[in-house]
Amino acid sequence: MREAFDHMYISCWEWSISVLEEVGATKPLYPPTMLRFTKRDTNSATPGPYSYPAMTLDECQLADFSEFETFDNYCYAMFTFYQLIQQTSGLSGEVNLEVRSPRFLETVASKDDIFLIEGMHCVKFKNDRFEEKVMAHWRREMPVRTFRRKDRA
């Protein structure tokens, strides 16, 4: 629950970690041995590949993330999730929620019309609706594609 994670600069994990770091659910990790080999630039926008959880899933569920509730952030998060699914689920594009997240079906997928519920434990993106709702906004109205607090939006 509190183990370090290395996204290995794989884009789907790197983008996901950027969201989690912005909301405070994870923190960058700079192992002391790594500092000898990498120069840490505190002004750099590009963090290293290591992070660790700053919250458990239960703590995340109780946390107030309302300062991140913008349509741009929704599109960023859904694009990131779509990217994760495309790069980790194989050809089916299906997500097995028993393995990934038992809470996702009830708290996200059942409330958002971009998802197609395939069964008790599997969801897919409705590609037409995803394109219309998320990607149209992403392409036309999001020149700055970052996940950020409302006050910085």
Side-chain angles (χ1 to χ4, degrees):
M1 288 185 50
R2 300 263 188 201
E3 293 180 16
F5 180 76
D6 175 4
H7 63 56
M8 299 179 287
Y9 296 105
I10 297 171
S11 61
C12 65
W13 295 113
E14 193 173 4
W15 281 56
S16 299
I17 287 296
S18 73
V19 172
L20 295 172
E21 284 182 359
E22 183 64 30
V23 301
T26 63
K27 300 282 182 194
L29 177 64
Y30 302 99
T33 56
M34 293 302 295
L35 293 177
R36 291 185 308 184
F37 303 111
T38 59
K39 183 178 178 186
R40 182 176 166 205
D41 180 0
T42 55
N43 296 319
S44 173
T46 307
Y50 305 101
S51 62
Y52 66 96
M55 298 179 177
T56 64
L57 288 175
D58 290 333
E59 290 168 331
C60 284
Q61 188 172 10
L62 296 173
D64 178 11
F65 297 114
S66 59
E67 64 188 310
F68 296 96
E69 291 177 359
T70 67
F71 191 64
D72 282 2
N73 281 348
Y74 164 81
C75 290
Y76 187 95
M78 286 301 132
F79 173 83
T80 301
F81 187 55
Y82 183 79
Q83 180 187 43
L84 180 68
I85 290 171
Q86 295 302 309
Q87 293 181 20
T88 61
S89 70
L91 297 176
S92 70
E94 217 173 65
V95 178
N96 182 342
L97 298 174
E98 283 186 303
V99 174
R100 301 282 183 193
S101 172
R103 298 175 186 171
F104 185 81
L105 183 64
E106 182 183 332
T107 59
V108 179
S110 64
K111 297 175 182 173
D112 195 328
D113 65 348
I114 66 170
F115 293 102
L116 176 63
I117 298 171
E118 291 279 295
M120 280 183 50
H121 304 291
C122 292
V123 297
K124 284 184 172 183
F125 275 98
K126 291 181 187 174
N127 288 323
D128 297 6
R129 184 64 180 138
F130 177 77
E131 283 291 324
E132 175 187 12
K133 186 175 182 180
V134 175
M135 294 311 295
H137 182 75
W138 178 269
R139 290 183 186 110
R140 289 186 221 127
E141 300 171 37
M142 283 183 67
V144 178
R145 295 179 181 143
T146 59
F147 193 91
R148 57 186 176 220
R149 285 180 167 75
K150 286 181 189 177
D151 63 348
R152 293 192 304 180

